[in-house]
Amino acid sequence: MPSTSNDRVMGLEAWEGAPTSASAAATISSASATTAQTSTSLTVASTSGTTSTVSTTVSPTPKLPSEITGRTVEEIIKEWNSELQERTGKFRKEANAIAEWDRRILQNRDILLRLESEVAKVVETQASMERQLELIETHQQEMQTSIRPEWINDEGFVTLGK
């Protein structure tokens, strides 16, 4: 069964507190590595000739970032609060600008929708006027074909009764 480092540590604690029997002997050894790591291993030998070894390694505490080394908690918190206030102000300023842009976009959307409606009405009116103009042109052509050439004078006007 595969084990994680947490399993190994838990298993080691269980082995340390377990009673030893006549068929198995347990040995616990500790060594210190050159990089300040502590290593612990447990070797279990059974009467059947098989041995098992469990090892754990404890790493040293990580180094603190240089920005907080040598400073009090109060100083660090004050700096963080100052930075938080600054970033909050910038965020609010940008959020207000975006809200204004959003308001303008919605206003322009309403204007564009009204314009679209008005353009649709104009297009419809223009189509109606073109139909009326075609009808007038058709009537005019019918009138020109029905007028006798002798009724038209030299200036192109119709004269009746000569």
Side-chain angles (χ1 to χ4, degrees), residues 104-122:
R104 286 182 185 174
I105 287 171
L106 291 175
Q107 283 178 343
N108 289 338
R109 177 185 169 269
D110 291 341
I111 292 170
L112 288 172
L113 289 173
R114 282 195 306 264
L115 285 173
E116 181 183 29
S117 174
E118 289 177 21
V119 167
K121 288 177 186 175
V122 167

Side-chain angles (χ1 to χ4, degrees), residues 55-105:
S55 297
T56 61
T57 303
V58 179
S59 298
T61 307
K63 264 184 119 176
L64 293 174
S66 62
E67 60 195 30
I68 61 173
T69 303
R71 297 172 65 196
T72 66
V73 173
E74 186 177 339
E75 291 172 335
I76 295 168
I77 290 174
K78 282 182 181 179
E79 182 181 333
W80 287 350
N81 279 334
S82 173
E83 186 178 337
L84 178 63
Q85 292 299 322
E86 180 183 329
R87 288 184 181 193
T88 302
K90 286 179 181 178
F91 175 81
R92 285 188 177 143
K93 185 177 180 180
E94 290 179 13
N96 288 335
I98 290 171
E100 177 63 22
W101 296 341
D102 191 41
R103 186 185 61 76
R104 286 182 185 174
I105 287 171

Side-chain angles (χ1 to χ4, degrees), residues 133-151:
L133 181 60
E134 288 175 7
L135 184 62
I136 291 171
E137 287 175 345
T138 304
H139 286 296
Q140 186 178 5
Q141 288 174 355
E142 288 175 1
M143 291 293 291
Q144 284 179 350
T145 57
S146 67
I147 295 177
R148 295 184 191 165
E150 63 266 4
W151 290 350

